[in-house]
């Protein structure tokens, strides 16, 4: 029975179809005569990107000012659900003030490879951490009566060819790693909406995937809200409806309306699917509108000036401070003293012009931004500044380096702000390598030859290689810290607070150490997830590979002691829903107040089958004064021990033994206990060779055996269709002129003057790699359906057909 049956019965078929795609980029369709108001959806996830005019979803045009909170790659390092809840609540409040009903976030895709251009928007390589933080963020936003949109569902782990890549993942990795990250947020966070991703999975578009949308998301996870496409991710609307998808965004193109209408009238699709989606959309609209009324009754009338900007700036500062990770601190060089005898030198263009957020749809227009220098100036710290390197102009490099090197003396304390320039990381493309710009690496190495007290502050959305890590005295990883990053770093450097963040991902020595380094970004049509469940630390641990800094690592200015592990029970059974309480004593044995993130990992002791050495299953952040101690409890449920069995095709608990490890990082395990499990006997069936030992890199044949398929290469060529991209069609001789015109159109549309401009690079890459059909969906005025189809005819050499299309405009 539908909730809004009587309203739906009063709608015409056309009205119902119309309601299932938006009005424009951000709004749903309003039907005044039916009493259906419109709602607004805006990006997320680290602040509100609400555009009233000049709409686009690529981060080009300005949006209303809002608070730029630290990015997910940094907030993940807080391991702090309360903090994520608070941040979500603040974003929800800003949404309420700007009359936005749904915030598009959080992104809980797993960081499969460090080069993914969008890793800054995602939390972790670990599904437990990612799921818990995503859940907290959703709860925070939704506590303000504003909906969240959990994205991007699913197996969307790269930006290269993101609209056409086909993720080939074995079912165990799919369930134990990639879908786990969504399961908690859906079941516990209950987001009002979930966003389907652009890519395909096993040859089927995510937005029309019956297994993922219906069997997993709706049936297994119990999702009852609105399933919305990523912007222009719709491919076949009938198939989407039947798989459980409801809302197509953005709207305005009415690309599929006629097709859907005809399918219903001719019986190709039952109308009940449409009604179901309309019902869910109506529910979202009324629910968010009603909760807005309630909130306004509580908070009073609100508008975009109602946000207490300073308060949110302070929150942004606190979140950044609670998340930054102290990777190294030799000889206790940190914290620094305000009145030091040593000269303090600050260097690095990023100390002045901070990189605090990434590019693309999540781009925020912040109220204000503080640099590292601002942070130090606020505290009245005396220092000398040298630019050291240039973010833009390679030619200036030598002069800048010389300038600082000529004055450095052995006892100088040198703070270097290093990191990735804007154009290195963005939605829409992946990084080409894991290195910092050469001039920055060079500068740091040269500095370490002159002073023993070099401290590096790192700014990047994802891991970088640190060839100087052994030479410098300290490293503070700031990731992309949001608008108050400068003050947050200064708070930590001068010891007003002790750092407490822990790495939410592994930092390898070199990119080549990564299990996917030989395959990632090479074949971007059939993307083989050859490593299976061995993602992140699960690979490094089992393969016994040294890393630069392990998952969960992070130092403090104080020290903690762990003692007395105990378990509330020593056996769990599959047939019972049980809760095991793991407790231990934690004491601050140092001289400063600090916070420790204790991590709980489990290890299945049966070494047959797909075994991982450690899987994170819980964590707790505790604040302790010097000498203080507390009994810490972390709870585990039976399902935390369950894993997907490839033969039984479901999650099961295996009979056996598990070690429970409590660690201050994934490699610093402090306490260990043991628990028995009563469940299914593991069928010690063949594990394809590679997965038993992880020697070397996984081969295609090992992966084919794991997944039980033969991989066939996608051939790209004529005849082209609207599902092809301009990039795929560009080499046809006649396309040269078309490409010239297109480039000009793009420059006009984006207002970007130079091709060197970062914004242009981002947009150009997305434009070239978006199928023509999706360009028509996202930009119906600039690329109407007939124009898109004419271009395809031209690429195919069908000039008469192209001319006819252009003439008839149909
Ligand atoms: C992104 C989404 C975003 C949407 C709307 C897409 O390009 O993938 O994450 O929410 O645009 O801006």
């Amino acid at each position: 029975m539908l909730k809004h049956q009587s309203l739906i019965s009063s709608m015409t078929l056309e009205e119902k179809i119309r309601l299932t795609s938006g009005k424009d980029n951000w709004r749903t369709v309003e039907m005044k005569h039916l009493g259906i108001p419109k709602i607004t959806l805006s990006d997320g996830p680290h602040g509100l990107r609400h555009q009233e005019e000049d709409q686009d979803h690529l981060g080009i045009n300005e949006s209303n000012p809002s608070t730029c909170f630290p990015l997910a790659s940094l907030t993940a390092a807080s391991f702090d659900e309360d903090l994520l809840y608070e941040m979500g609540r603040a974003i929800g409040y800003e949404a309420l003030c700007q009359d936005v009903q749904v915030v598009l976030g959080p992104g809980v895709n797993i960081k499969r490879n460090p080069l993914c251009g969008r890793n800054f928007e995602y939390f972790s390589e670990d599904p437990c951490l990612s799921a818990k933080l995503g859940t907290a963020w959703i709860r925070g936003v939704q506590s303000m009566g504003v909906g969240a949109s959990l994205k991007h569902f699913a197996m969307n782990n790269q930006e290269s060819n993101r609209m056409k890549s086909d993720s080939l993942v074995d079912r165990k990795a799919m369930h134990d790693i990639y879908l786990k990250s969504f399961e908690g947020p859906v079941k516990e966070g209950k987001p009002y909406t979930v966003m389907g991703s652009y890519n395909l999975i096993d040859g089927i578009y995510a937005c029309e995937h019956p297994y993922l949308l219906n069997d997993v998301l709706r049936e297994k996870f119990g999702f009852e809200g609105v399933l919305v496409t990523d912007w222009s991710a719709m491919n076949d609307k009938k198939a989407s409806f039947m798989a459980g998808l409801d809302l197509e965004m953005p709207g305005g193109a009415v690309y599929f309306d006629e097709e859907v209408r005809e399918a219903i009238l001719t019986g190709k699709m039952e109308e009940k699917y449409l009604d179901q989606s309309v019902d869910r959309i109506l529910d979202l609209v009324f629910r968010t509108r009603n909760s807005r009324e309630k909130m306004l009754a509580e908070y009073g009338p609100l508008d975009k000036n109602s946000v207490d900007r300073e308060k949110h700036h302070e929150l942004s500062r606190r979140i950044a401070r609670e998340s930054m990770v102290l990777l190294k601190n030799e000889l206790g060089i940190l914290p620094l003293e305000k009145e030091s005898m040593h000269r303090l030198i600050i260097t690095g263009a990023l100390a002045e012009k901070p990189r605090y957020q990434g590019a693309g749809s999540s781009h925020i227009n912040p109220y204000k931004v503080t640099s590292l220098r601002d942070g130090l100036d606020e505290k009245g710290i005396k220092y000398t500044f040298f630019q050291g390197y240039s973010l833009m102009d390679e030619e200036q490099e030598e002069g800048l380096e010389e300038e600082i090197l000529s004055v450095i003396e052995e006892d100088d304390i040198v703070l270097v702000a290093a990191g990735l320039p804007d154009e290195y990381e963005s939605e829409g493309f992946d990084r080409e390598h894991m290195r910092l710009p050469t001039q920055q690496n060079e500068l740091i190495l040269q500095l370490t030859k002159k002073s023993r007290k070099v401290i590096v502050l790192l700014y990047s959305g994802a891991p970088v290689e640190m060839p100087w890590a052994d030479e410098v005295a300290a490293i503070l990883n700031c990731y992309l810290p949001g608008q108050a990053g400068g003050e947050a770093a200064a708070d930590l450097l001068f010891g007003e607070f002790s750092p407490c963040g822990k790495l939410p991902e592994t930092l390898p020595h070199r990119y080549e150490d990564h299990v996917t380094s030989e395959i990632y970004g090479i074949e971007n049509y059939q993307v083989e997830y050859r490593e299976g469940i061995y993602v992140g630390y699960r690979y490094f641990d089992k393969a016994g590979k040294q890393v630069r800094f392990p998952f969960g690592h992070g130092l403090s200015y104080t020290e903690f002691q762990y003692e007395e592990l105990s378990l509330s029970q020593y056996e769990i059974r599959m047939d019972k829903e049980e809760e095991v309480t793991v407790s231990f004593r934690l004491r601050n044995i140092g001289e400063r107040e600090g916070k420790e993130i204790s991590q709980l990992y489990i290890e299945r002791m049966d070494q047959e089958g797909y075994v991982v050495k450690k899987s994170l299953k819980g964590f707790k952040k505790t604040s302790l004064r010097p000498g203080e101690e507390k009994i810490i409890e972390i709870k585990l449920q039976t399902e935390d021990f369950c894993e997907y069995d490839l033969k039984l095709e479901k999650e099961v608990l295996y009979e056996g033994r598990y070690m429970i490890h409590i660690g201050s990082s994934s490699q610093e395990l402090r306490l260990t206990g043991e628990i028995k499990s009563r469940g299914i006997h593991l069928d010690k069936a063949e594990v394809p060779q590679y997965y038993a030992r992880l020697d070397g890199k996984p081969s295609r044949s090992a992966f084919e055996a794991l997944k039980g398929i033969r991989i066939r290469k996608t051939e790209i060529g004529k005849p082209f269709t609207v599902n092809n991209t301009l990039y795929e069609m560009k080499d046809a001789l006649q396309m040269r002129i078309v490409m010239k015109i297109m480039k000009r159109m793009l420059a006009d549309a984006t207002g970007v003057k130079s091709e060197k401009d970062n914004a242009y690079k981002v947009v150009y890459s997305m434009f070239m790699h978006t199928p023509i059909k999706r360009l028509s969906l996202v930009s119906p005025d600039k690329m109407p359906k007939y124009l898109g189809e004419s271009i395809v005819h031209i690429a195919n050499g069908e000039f008469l057909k192209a001319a006819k299309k252009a003439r008839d405009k149909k």
Side-chain angles (χ1 to χ4, degrees), residues 216-239:
V216 176
L217 185 63
R218 296 253 183 234
E219 295 296 324
K220 186 169 174 234
F221 297 174
F223 178 61
E224 289 177 354
V226 167
L227 187 41
V228 55
T229 59
D230 196 343
W231 267 228
S232 82
M234 186 62 92
N235 172 58
D236 175 344
K237 199 155 176 175
K238 299 183 297 310

PDB file of all heavy atoms in Angstrom, residues 216-239:
ATOM      1  N   VAL A 216      20.170  -5.974  -2.740  1.00  0.00           N
ATOM      2  CA  VAL A 216      21.037  -5.565  -1.635  1.00  0.00           C
ATOM      3  C   VAL A 216      20.480  -4.331  -0.905  1.00  0.00           C
ATOM      4  O   VAL A 216      20.168  -4.395   0.281  1.00  0.00           O
ATOM      5  CB  VAL A 216      22.481  -5.283  -2.136  1.00  0.00           C
ATOM      6  CG1 VAL A 216      23.342  -4.756  -0.991  1.00  0.00           C
ATOM      7  CG2 VAL A 216      23.100  -6.553  -2.705  1.00  0.00           C
ATOM      8  N   LEU A 217      20.346  -3.241  -1.637  1.00  0.00           N
ATOM      9  CA  LEU A 217      20.008  -1.982  -0.956  1.00  0.00           C
ATOM     10  C   LEU A 217      18.595  -2.005  -0.364  1.00  0.00           C
ATOM     11  O   LEU A 217      18.381  -1.678   0.799  1.00  0.00           O
ATOM     12  CB  LEU A 217      20.167  -0.821  -1.939  1.00  0.00           C
ATOM     13  CG  LEU A 217      19.962   0.566  -1.362  1.00  0.00           C
ATOM     14  CD1 LEU A 217      20.997   0.887  -0.295  1.00  0.00           C
ATOM     15  CD2 LEU A 217      20.021   1.626  -2.462  1.00  0.00           C
ATOM     16  N   ARG A 218      17.647  -2.384  -1.176  1.00  0.00           N
ATOM     17  CA  ARG A 218      16.264  -2.330  -0.686  1.00  0.00           C
ATOM     18  C   ARG A 218      15.950  -3.530   0.226  1.00  0.00           C
ATOM     19  O   ARG A 218      15.444  -3.345   1.321  1.00  0.00           O
ATOM     20  CB  ARG A 218      15.285  -2.313  -1.864  1.00  0.00           C
ATOM     21  CG  ARG A 218      15.424  -1.051  -2.734  1.00  0.00           C
ATOM     22  CD  ARG A 218      14.259  -0.111  -2.530  1.00  0.00           C
ATOM     23  NE  ARG A 218      14.328   1.067  -3.384  1.00  0.00           N
ATOM     24  CZ  ARG A 218      14.268   2.310  -2.916  1.00  0.00           C
ATOM     25  NH1 ARG A 218      14.172   2.547  -1.622  1.00  0.00           N
ATOM     26  NH2 ARG A 218      14.303   3.333  -3.743  1.00  0.00           N
ATOM     27  N   GLU A 219      16.285  -4.755  -0.261  1.00  0.00           N
ATOM     28  CA  GLU A 219      15.895  -5.943   0.517  1.00  0.00           C
ATOM     29  C   GLU A 219      16.809  -6.195   1.705  1.00  0.00           C
ATOM     30  O   GLU A 219      16.365  -6.242   2.838  1.00  0.00           O
ATOM     31  CB  GLU A 219      15.897  -7.192  -0.386  1.00  0.00           C
ATOM     32  CG  GLU A 219      14.856  -7.153  -1.489  1.00  0.00           C
ATOM     33  CD  GLU A 219      13.433  -7.152  -0.947  1.00  0.00           C
ATOM     34  OE1 GLU A 219      13.186  -7.818   0.067  1.00  0.00           O
ATOM     35  OE2 GLU A 219      12.571  -6.456  -1.540  1.00  0.00           O
ATOM     36  N   LYS A 220      18.100  -6.325   1.427  1.00  0.00           N
ATOM     37  CA  LYS A 220      19.006  -6.718   2.507  1.00  0.00           C
ATOM     38  C   LYS A 220      19.234  -5.571   3.504  1.00  0.00           C
ATOM     39  O   LYS A 220      19.212  -5.772   4.714  1.00  0.00           O
ATOM     40  CB  LYS A 220      20.343  -7.163   1.891  1.00  0.00           C
ATOM     41  CG  LYS A 220      21.315  -7.717   2.892  1.00  0.00           C
ATOM     42  CD  LYS A 220      22.508  -8.381   2.208  1.00  0.00           C
ATOM     43  CE  LYS A 220      23.528  -8.801   3.242  1.00  0.00           C
ATOM     44  NZ  LYS A 220      24.866  -8.312   3.025  1.00  0.00           N
ATOM     45  N   PHE A 221      19.462  -4.374   2.980  1.00  0.00           N
ATOM     46  CA  PHE A 221      19.742  -3.250   3.886  1.00  0.00           C
ATOM     47  C   PHE A 221      18.453  -2.556   4.353  1.00  0.00           C
ATOM     48  O   PHE A 221      18.488  -1.710   5.233  1.00  0.00           O
ATOM     49  CB  PHE A 221      20.631  -2.202   3.211  1.00  0.00           C
ATOM     50  CG  PHE A 221      22.020  -2.674   2.828  1.00  0.00           C
ATOM     51  CD1 PHE A 221      22.873  -1.834   2.097  1.00  0.00           C
ATOM     52  CD2 PHE A 221      22.490  -3.922   3.210  1.00  0.00           C
ATOM     53  CE1 PHE A 221      24.156  -2.247   1.742  1.00  0.00           C
ATOM     54  CE2 PHE A 221      23.773  -4.343   2.851  1.00  0.00           C
ATOM     55  CZ  PHE A 221      24.603  -3.505   2.114  1.00  0.00           C
ATOM     56  N   GLY A 222      17.342  -2.868   3.707  1.00  0.00           N
ATOM     57  CA  GLY A 222      16.057  -2.290   4.132  1.00  0.00           C
ATOM     58  C   GLY A 222      15.911  -0.805   3.830  1.00  0.00           C
ATOM     59  O   GLY A 222      15.231  -0.084   4.562  1.00  0.00           O
ATOM     60  N   PHE A 223      16.498  -0.340   2.743  1.00  0.00           N
ATOM     61  CA  PHE A 223      16.408   1.096   2.426  1.00  0.00           C
ATOM     62  C   PHE A 223      15.020   1.452   1.891  1.00  0.00           C
ATOM     63  O   PHE A 223      14.557   0.883   0.908  1.00  0.00           O
ATOM     64  CB  PHE A 223      17.488   1.467   1.403  1.00  0.00           C
ATOM     65  CG  PHE A 223      17.424   2.907   0.983  1.00  0.00           C
ATOM     66  CD1 PHE A 223      17.586   3.922   1.915  1.00  0.00           C
ATOM     67  CD2 PHE A 223      17.170   3.257  -0.337  1.00  0.00           C
ATOM     68  CE1 PHE A 223      17.505   5.264   1.542  1.00  0.00           C
ATOM     69  CE2 PHE A 223      17.095   4.587  -0.729  1.00  0.00           C
ATOM     70  CZ  PHE A 223      17.265   5.588   0.217  1.00  0.00           C
ATOM     71  N   GLU A 224      14.389   2.428   2.532  1.00  0.00           N
ATOM     72  CA  GLU A 224      13.020   2.781   2.124  1.00  0.00           C
ATOM     73  C   GLU A 224      12.929   4.164   1.503  1.00  0.00           C
ATOM     74  O   GLU A 224      11.871   4.588   1.063  1.00  0.00           O
ATOM     75  CB  GLU A 224      12.095   2.725   3.353  1.00  0.00           C
ATOM     76  CG  GLU A 224      11.866   1.304   3.817  1.00  0.00           C
ATOM     77  CD  GLU A 224      11.019   1.217   5.071  1.00  0.00           C
ATOM     78  OE1 GLU A 224      10.700   2.269   5.655  1.00  0.00           O
ATOM     79  OE2 GLU A 224      10.694   0.077   5.454  1.00  0.00           O
ATOM     80  N   GLY A 225      14.047   4.881   1.497  1.00  0.00           N
ATOM     81  CA  GLY A 225      14.009   6.269   1.025  1.00  0.00           C
ATOM     82  C   GLY A 225      14.114   6.393  -0.489  1.00  0.00           C
ATOM     83  O   GLY A 225      13.911   5.424  -1.239  1.00  0.00           O
ATOM     84  N   VAL A 226      14.447   7.595  -0.923  1.00  0.00           N
ATOM     85  CA  VAL A 226      14.525   7.883  -2.363  1.00  0.00           C
ATOM     86  C   VAL A 226      15.916   7.535  -2.894  1.00  0.00           C
ATOM     87  O   VAL A 226      16.931   7.956  -2.346  1.00  0.00           O
ATOM     88  CB  VAL A 226      14.221   9.376  -2.626  1.00  0.00           C
ATOM     89  CG1 VAL A 226      14.610   9.778  -4.042  1.00  0.00           C
ATOM     90  CG2 VAL A 226      12.740   9.645  -2.391  1.00  0.00           C
ATOM     91  N   LEU A 227      15.911   6.771  -3.942  1.00  0.00           N
ATOM     92  CA  LEU A 227      17.170   6.416  -4.605  1.00  0.00           C
ATOM     93  C   LEU A 227      17.299   7.348  -5.803  1.00  0.00           C
ATOM     94  O   LEU A 227      16.467   7.322  -6.720  1.00  0.00           O
ATOM     95  CB  LEU A 227      17.080   4.949  -5.015  1.00  0.00           C
ATOM     96  CG  LEU A 227      18.281   4.229  -5.575  1.00  0.00           C
ATOM     97  CD1 LEU A 227      19.552   4.582  -4.846  1.00  0.00           C
ATOM     98  CD2 LEU A 227      18.050   2.734  -5.456  1.00  0.00           C
ATOM     99  N   VAL A 228      18.322   8.203  -5.761  1.00  0.00           N
ATOM    100  CA  VAL A 228      18.476   9.242  -6.784  1.00  0.00           C
ATOM    101  C   VAL A 228      19.722   8.933  -7.626  1.00  0.00           C
ATOM    102  O   VAL A 228      20.683   8.350  -7.118  1.00  0.00           O
ATOM    103  CB  VAL A 228      18.562  10.643  -6.103  1.00  0.00           C
ATOM    104  CG1 VAL A 228      19.668  10.708  -5.064  1.00  0.00           C
ATOM    105  CG2 VAL A 228      18.746  11.768  -7.106  1.00  0.00           C
ATOM    106  N   THR A 229      19.690   9.324  -8.879  1.00  0.00           N
ATOM    107  CA  THR A 229      20.881   9.114  -9.719  1.00  0.00           C
ATOM    108  C   THR A 229      21.952  10.120  -9.325  1.00  0.00           C
ATOM    109  O   THR A 229      21.634  11.215  -8.854  1.00  0.00           O
ATOM    110  CB  THR A 229      20.589   9.417 -11.208  1.00  0.00           C
ATOM    111  OG1 THR A 229      20.156  10.782 -11.317  1.00  0.00           O
ATOM    112  CG2 THR A 229      19.580   8.484 -11.791  1.00  0.00           C
ATOM    113  N   ASP A 230      23.214   9.781  -9.552  1.00  0.00           N
ATOM    114  CA  ASP A 230      24.219  10.836  -9.545  1.00  0.00           C
ATOM    115  C   ASP A 230      23.858  11.739 -10.728  1.00  0.00           C
ATOM    116  O   ASP A 230      23.087  11.345 -11.617  1.00  0.00           O
ATOM    117  CB  ASP A 230      25.637  10.279  -9.694  1.00  0.00           C
ATOM    118  CG  ASP A 230      26.674  11.339  -9.289  1.00  0.00           C
ATOM    119  OD1 ASP A 230      26.316  12.534  -9.227  1.00  0.00           O
ATOM    120  OD2 ASP A 230      27.832  10.972  -9.054  1.00  0.00           O
ATOM    121  N   TRP A 231      24.408  12.938 -10.730  1.00  0.00           N
ATOM    122  CA  TRP A 231      23.947  13.938 -11.706  1.00  0.00           C
ATOM    123  C   TRP A 231      24.228  13.495 -13.151  1.00  0.00           C
ATOM    124  O   TRP A 231      25.363  13.456 -13.578  1.00  0.00           O
ATOM    125  CB  TRP A 231      24.594  15.284 -11.359  1.00  0.00           C
ATOM    126  CG  TRP A 231      23.713  16.126 -10.469  1.00  0.00           C
ATOM    127  CD1 TRP A 231      23.419  17.448 -10.658  1.00  0.00           C
ATOM    128  CD2 TRP A 231      22.986  15.747  -9.286  1.00  0.00           C
ATOM    129  NE1 TRP A 231      22.550  17.894  -9.677  1.00  0.00           N
ATOM    130  CE2 TRP A 231      22.262  16.873  -8.840  1.00  0.00           C
ATOM    131  CE3 TRP A 231      22.825  14.552  -8.580  1.00  0.00           C
ATOM    132  CZ2 TRP A 231      21.429  16.848  -7.712  1.00  0.00           C
ATOM    133  CZ3 TRP A 231      22.005  14.529  -7.455  1.00  0.00           C
ATOM    134  CH2 TRP A 231      21.324  15.665  -7.052  1.00  0.00           C
ATOM    135  N   SER A 232      23.162  13.115 -13.822  1.00  0.00           N
ATOM    136  CA  SER A 232      23.165  12.618 -15.204  1.00  0.00           C
ATOM    137  C   SER A 232      23.582  11.155 -15.327  1.00  0.00           C
ATOM    138  O   SER A 232      23.961  10.716 -16.400  1.00  0.00           O
ATOM    139  CB  SER A 232      24.042  13.481 -16.129  1.00  0.00           C
ATOM    140  OG  SER A 232      25.396  13.110 -16.009  1.00  0.00           O
ATOM    141  N   ALA A 233      23.451  10.415 -14.246  1.00  0.00           N
ATOM    142  CA  ALA A 233      23.847   8.994 -14.316  1.00  0.00           C
ATOM    143  C   ALA A 233      22.749   8.105 -14.897  1.00  0.00           C
ATOM    144  O   ALA A 233      22.935   6.897 -15.018  1.00  0.00           O
ATOM    145  CB  ALA A 233      24.249   8.489 -12.938  1.00  0.00           C
ATOM    146  N   MET A 234      21.617   8.694 -15.270  1.00  0.00           N
ATOM    147  CA  MET A 234      20.535   7.867 -15.810  1.00  0.00           C
ATOM    148  C   MET A 234      20.930   7.352 -17.187  1.00  0.00           C
ATOM    149  O   MET A 234      21.472   8.089 -18.009  1.00  0.00           O
ATOM    150  CB  MET A 234      19.262   8.712 -15.902  1.00  0.00           C
ATOM    151  CG  MET A 234      18.039   7.931 -16.300  1.00  0.00           C
ATOM    152  SD  MET A 234      17.632   6.655 -15.093  1.00  0.00           S
ATOM    153  CE  MET A 234      16.501   7.532 -14.034  1.00  0.00           C
ATOM    154  N   ASN A 235      20.625   6.080 -17.413  1.00  0.00           N
ATOM    155  CA  ASN A 235      20.931   5.490 -18.716  1.00  0.00           C
ATOM    156  C   ASN A 235      19.650   4.990 -19.380  1.00  0.00           C
ATOM    157  O   ASN A 235      19.327   5.380 -20.493  1.00  0.00           O
ATOM    158  CB  ASN A 235      21.919   4.340 -18.521  1.00  0.00           C
ATOM    159  CG  ASN A 235      22.126   3.560 -19.781  1.00  0.00           C
ATOM    160  OD1 ASN A 235      22.534   4.125 -20.788  1.00  0.00           O
ATOM    161  ND2 ASN A 235      21.825   2.274 -19.752  1.00  0.00           N
ATOM    162  N   ASP A 236      18.909   4.138 -18.682  1.00  0.00           N
ATOM    163  CA  ASP A 236      17.657   3.599 -19.208  1.00  0.00           C
ATOM    164  C   ASP A 236      16.649   3.718 -18.063  1.00  0.00           C
ATOM    165  O   ASP A 236      16.709   2.965 -17.086  1.00  0.00           O
ATOM    166  CB  ASP A 236      17.895   2.139 -19.608  1.00  0.00           C
ATOM    167  CG  ASP A 236      16.619   1.447 -20.047  1.00  0.00           C
ATOM    168  OD1 ASP A 236      15.522   1.962 -19.767  1.00  0.00           O
ATOM    169  OD2 ASP A 236      16.725   0.361 -20.653  1.00  0.00           O
ATOM    170  N   LYS A 237      15.746   4.671 -18.185  1.00  0.00           N
ATOM    171  CA  LYS A 237      14.894   4.989 -17.036  1.00  0.00           C
ATOM    172  C   LYS A 237      13.938   3.849 -16.661  1.00  0.00           C
ATOM    173  O   LYS A 237      13.659   3.633 -15.483  1.00  0.00           O
ATOM    174  CB  LYS A 237      14.122   6.288 -17.310  1.00  0.00           C
ATOM    175  CG  LYS A 237      13.589   6.924 -16.036  1.00  0.00           C
ATOM    176  CD  LYS A 237      13.374   8.405 -16.179  1.00  0.00           C
ATOM    177  CE  LYS A 237      12.747   8.990 -14.922  1.00  0.00           C
ATOM    178  NZ  LYS A 237      12.615  10.437 -14.970  1.00  0.00           N
ATOM    179  N   LYS A 238      13.464   3.112 -17.657  1.00  0.00           N
ATOM    180  CA  LYS A 238      12.573   1.987 -17.343  1.00  0.00           C
ATOM    181  C   LYS A 238      13.323   0.958 -16.498  1.00  0.00           C
ATOM    182  O   LYS A 238      12.837   0.499 -15.474  1.00  0.00           O
ATOM    183  CB  LYS A 238      12.115   1.269 -18.625  1.00  0.00           C
ATOM    184  CG  LYS A 238      11.342   2.123 -19.589  1.00  0.00           C
ATOM    185  CD  LYS A 238      10.875   1.300 -20.776  1.00  0.00           C
ATOM    186  CE  LYS A 238      11.943   0.691 -21.657  1.00  0.00           C
ATOM    187  NZ  LYS A 238      13.052   1.404 -22.206  1.00  0.00           N
ATOM    188  N   ALA A 239      14.512   0.625 -16.975  1.00  0.00           N
ATOM    189  CA  ALA A 239      15.308  -0.369 -16.248  1.00  0.00           C
ATOM    190  C   ALA A 239      15.587   0.122 -14.830  1.00  0.00           C
ATOM    191  O   ALA A 239      15.568  -0.663 -13.872  1.00  0.00           O
ATOM    192  CB  ALA A 239      16.614  -0.616 -16.986  1.00  0.00           C
TER     193      ALA A 239
END
